[in-house]
Amino acid sequence: MSFEREDFGLLGPLHLNSIDWANSNHRRSIAASLVQGTYILERDRQEKRQGSQALAPPWWEFFHFKLIRQLVDDADSCVFGAIYEYAPPSSHCNDSIDRSPRYVIAFRGTINKPDSFSRDFSLDIHIIRNGLHQTSRFEIAMKAVRNMVAMVGDSSVWLAGHSLGAAMAMLAGKTIAKTGNFLEAFLFNPPFLSAPIERINYGNVKHGLRFASSFITAGLVLATKGNSQTSQSEDPFFILSAWTPCLFVNPTDHLCSEYIGYFEHRKKMEEIGYGAIERLATQNSLGDLFMSVVRRSAEAAEPLHLLPSAYLTVNLTPSEDFKQAHGIQQWWRPDLHLKCNLYKYK
């Protein structure tokens, strides 16, 4: 039954009965659990589960968080996000608490249920069209993030999201980073809309395609935007590079796996002496450049998935199917085979 997939006692990370905030696995698992709590908040609303019947509270109470606000979409009244406050008992205070957040703003992904699917799916389309920033749901989310940062500062606030929610958190993080506020962010299975090059099994073919794409993209940039020189202090991509969100991807999830090649290819291009070409290419989407040529306009929304820097964590644990590879549940398992790399734009 569906409720069994929502019950913390059956599915949650019960092994985390003692939290070490200095442990990256603990931080990842808790952030994922808070996102799951946001999913279950909406499912409780849909199923009219209240009081003792509600399944969402254990997903944050187990880690000593309090729900202080639900973020509700103005179009269909669904719960798409939540703001949690960390309130540990005094007996749990120790040195590792310095790595803990004061507040976590979490966003869920698409729910395939009639009460919310239509609105969620329309937002998925907005991501494809680089129009998420124009939606009222994002405006509500961004207002909540700005207000929280203004109240307690950027060092006390975490962002977290899964799938569509990861896109929401990424856009909020990028937006506020441009004002000099860098929030710790946990982005699970964030969408990267591109040709699925990462799924090609032949390394030389994969590298050749990425190599050609970089040169074509850089050429289109020069053709459409010219070769104007911008200082680092004026380069928005360089300014954004100080923000280093944590990305969590699965190589068998085609919706997010391109982040693996996106960052690895940049590193390879630097190593073989084509770093300048790649620095142009990595800031631009080939598809959007083609559209700007067709429309004879250089004005276009910045593609959401383009990031200067990131802590990239890849789950190499075999997945049974796409549903498991894309699911939030994988990220709090204690037995994961993970590969982690830091990528900094320079």
Side-chain angles (χ1 to χ4, degrees):
M1 297 178 66
S2 62
F3 78 88
E4 294 178 345
R5 298 192 296 271
E6 301 167 356
D7 191 325
F8 183 85
L10 297 175
L11 190 66
L14 297 173
H15 60 282
L16 288 180
N17 49 23
S18 178
I19 302 171
D20 178 5
W21 287 105
N23 186 317
S24 61
N25 293 322
H26 288 199
R27 296 198 304 274
R28 181 195 72 244
S29 299
I30 293 169
S33 295
L34 295 177
V35 173
Q36 176 73 346
T38 307
Y39 273 105
I40 311 306
L41 272 171
E42 171 57 15
R43 291 292 295 131
D44 281 347
R45 184 193 72 85
Q46 293 178 1
E47 297 296 324
K48 297 180 173 58
R49 297 186 300 232
Q50 300 179 354
S52 62
Q53 300 299 312
L55 295 178
W59 288 96
W60 58 82
E61 291 176 350
F62 186 82
F63 308 107
H64 307 292
F65 281 86
K66 296 189 301 183
L67 174 67
I68 63 170
R69 183 186 168 192
Q70 299 181 21
L71 300 179
V72 178
D73 194 298
D74 62 350
D76 63 356
S77 299
C78 73
V79 179
F80 71 87
I83 303 177
Y84 303 102
E85 181 182 11
Y86 185 49
S90 57
S91 60
H92 284 66
C93 293
N94 53 51
D95 292 341
S96 76
I97 205 170
D98 292 339
R99 294 296 306 272
S100 69
R102 185 174 172 188
Y103 296 95
V104 177
I105 306 175
F107 305 100
R108 65 164 177 84
T110 302
I111 294 180
N112 296 320
K113 300 293 181 181
D115 286 355
S116 56
F117 178 72
S118 177
R119 174 62 169 164
D120 288 350
F121 183 71
S122 72
L123 289 158
D124 293 332
I125 298 301
H126 276 289
I127 293 174
I128 296 172
R129 300 173 62 185
N130 292 330
L132 187 62
H133 63 289
Q134 299 173 327
T135 66
S136 61
R137 181 181 291 190
F138 176 71
E139 290 175 0
I140 294 168
M142 197 64 234
K143 183 178 180 180
V145 172
R146 286 196 177 103
N147 288 345
M148 191 58 66
V149 170
M151 184 174 70
V152 300
D154 58 2
S155 64
S156 299
V157 181
W158 284 9
L159 297 175
H162 173 248
S163 193
L164 166 60
M168 191 82 65
M170 181 183 294
L171 183 55
K174 289 177 73 172
T175 301
I176 204 158
K178 292 173 182 177
T179 67
N181 295 288
F182 305 111
L183 305 185
E184 190 156 356
F186 297 79
L187 311 176
F188 302 99
N189 302 83
F192 189 115
L193 301 173
S194 173
I197 298 176
E198 191 59 32
R199 302 188 71 184
I200 298 173
N201 293 323
Y202 301 99
N204 289 338
V205 174
K206 188 188 300 186
H207 180 61
L209 287 172
R210 294 195 189 283
F211 189 81
S213 176
S214 291
F215 274 86
I216 293 171
T217 302
L220 280 173
V221 171
L222 294 174
T224 58
K225 300 181 181 181
N227 192 24
S228 58
Q229 297 294 318
T230 303
S231 66
Q232 285 189 340
S233 62
E234 298 175 335
D235 180 358
F237 208 68
F238 180 80
I239 295 169
L240 184 60
S241 67
W243 182 54
T244 312
C246 301
L247 273 60
F248 302 89
V249 306
N250 189 308
T252 54
D253 175 7
H254 61 270
L255 293 180
C256 67
S257 62
E258 280 304 303
Y259 275 109
I260 301 170
Y262 174 74
F263 286 110
E264 275 298 305
H265 177 64
R266 183 193 302 173
K267 179 181 176 182
K268 289 179 180 177
M269 291 288 278
E270 288 283 354
E271 291 172 350
I272 62 177
Y274 291 109
I277 297 292
E278 186 57 24
R279 280 191 289 276
L280 273 179
T282 198
Q283 301 183 46
N284 297 273
S285 164
L286 185 57
D288 286 307
L289 286 169
F290 273 124
M291 290 305 297
S292 69
V293 171
V294 171
R295 296 170 181 165
R296 298 173 180 245
S297 171
E299 295 297 323
E302 175 187 304
L304 176 62
H305 61 266
L306 301 180
L307 282 174
S309 306
Y311 290 104
L312 182 67
T313 298
V314 181
N315 182 9
L316 299 176
T317 311
S319 299
E320 294 180 0
D321 51 28
F322 168 75
K323 184 177 181 180
Q324 187 179 81
H326 189 67
I328 186 67
Q329 295 89 348
Q330 66 185 298
W331 297 112
W332 60 71
R333 285 177 51 185
D335 57 345
L336 297 180
H337 177 202
L338 302 176
K339 178 182 178 183
C340 306
N341 285 294
L342 169 63
Y343 297 96
K344 293 291 289 184
Y345 180 77
K346 55 186 178 179

